[in-house]
Amino acid sequence: MTAWLAVLLILALPACTTKLGKDGRTTSEMDVKYLAKTEVDRFADTNRAEVMGGLMLIADKLYRRNPKEWKKAGVDSREAALERLKMRHYRSLPELGGLREGKAAALAFSETYSGDRVAALMLGLLTMADAAFDHKAEFYVLDSLDETKLFNCARNMEVAVWKLGNDRNAAGELFLLANELDPANRNLSFEREFGRLMGLLDFMAKVVADRNGRTVSRLGHSVVSTIFLPVSFLK
């Protein structure tokens, strides 16, 4: 409980600013938009920003390890490929045929898919996160989130980690290179970042469930599934 209160205190700080006047006196001002926000709303703002930023970091790292993927999309650079993902709210990626969330992410591990596998996976995960946060960038008193959507989004991160480390093509090669498992040069940065995002989403799900007077159960999720769970279509 102490840690939770500390988080809320930190999030509350931007709502009030103190200025030193010419006469040496200090005055405090309240940003009016924060009057319509609860502590949970501000926490949701920060949580969402961290999740989205983390997913874009993973996308960048995947492109660095798999440069042939962004070249499939016909763009000039890794940065341009990342920009396509940021523009997902305004236009879809032609090679995905309008698919989003789990169906888009699954294409990254399909033998028959010939497009940018990083774009397929990361657009899928990003649109899942968009849906989990109700397609909002900021949250206010009357906004509400669904803890099950947040929970499923976290489990889908687990599915992505499993697939990145296990799904292979007919030649026995991983569809996408991620963690480096060479005993002489171990690099688990992908797994660590995914783990951080799962923790953020799980904690947000717990906060939302508490506010809604419900609980989030992990029953039936002790074994990682290989199928992406629904997010948008949950009611």
Side-chain angles (χ1 to χ4, degrees), residues 72-137:
K72 293 178 183 178
V75 295
D76 298 327
S77 64
R78 185 183 78 254
E79 291 78 10
L82 292 170
E83 194 62 30
R84 289 206 315 156
L85 293 175
K86 293 178 184 178
M87 297 298 290
R88 66 189 179 278
H89 303 295
Y90 309 103
R91 60 174 180 264
S92 60
L93 303 185
E95 65 267 37
L96 297 181
L99 296 180
R100 300 170 77 80
E101 298 191 37
K103 290 182 178 180
L107 284 179
F109 307 99
S110 169
E111 187 78 45
T112 59
Y113 183 64
S114 60
D116 179 346
R117 294 181 185 276
V118 173
L121 174 61
M122 297 314 301
L123 183 131
L125 293 177
L126 283 162
T127 51
M128 289 175 202
D130 288 335
F133 285 98
D134 203 25
H135 302 281
K136 293 183 173 71

Side-chain angles (χ1 to χ4, degrees), residues 37 81 115 142 146 195 215 217:
K37 285 179 176 286
L142 297 180
D146 186 318
T215 60
S217 173

Side-chain angles (χ1 to χ4, degrees), residues 175-229:
F175 284 109
L176 289 170
L177 297 177
N179 289 324
E180 178 56 67
L181 300 178
D182 180 355
N185 185 32
R186 290 180 65 82
N187 180 353
L188 301 177
S189 60
F190 286 91
E191 192 167 318
R192 284 195 295 269
E193 185 61 19
F194 270 120
R196 186 178 76 89
L197 301 186
M198 283 183 259
L200 288 167
L201 288 163
D202 279 335
F203 189 45
M204 190 72 243
K206 176 67 166 59
V207 170
V208 170
D210 286 347
R211 185 168 72 170
N212 293 340
R214 297 192 287 264
T215 60
V216 178
S217 173
R218 290 189 61 93
L219 184 63
H221 293 277
S222 57
V223 178
V224 176
S225 170
T226 59
I227 299 174
F228 292 105
L229 300 173

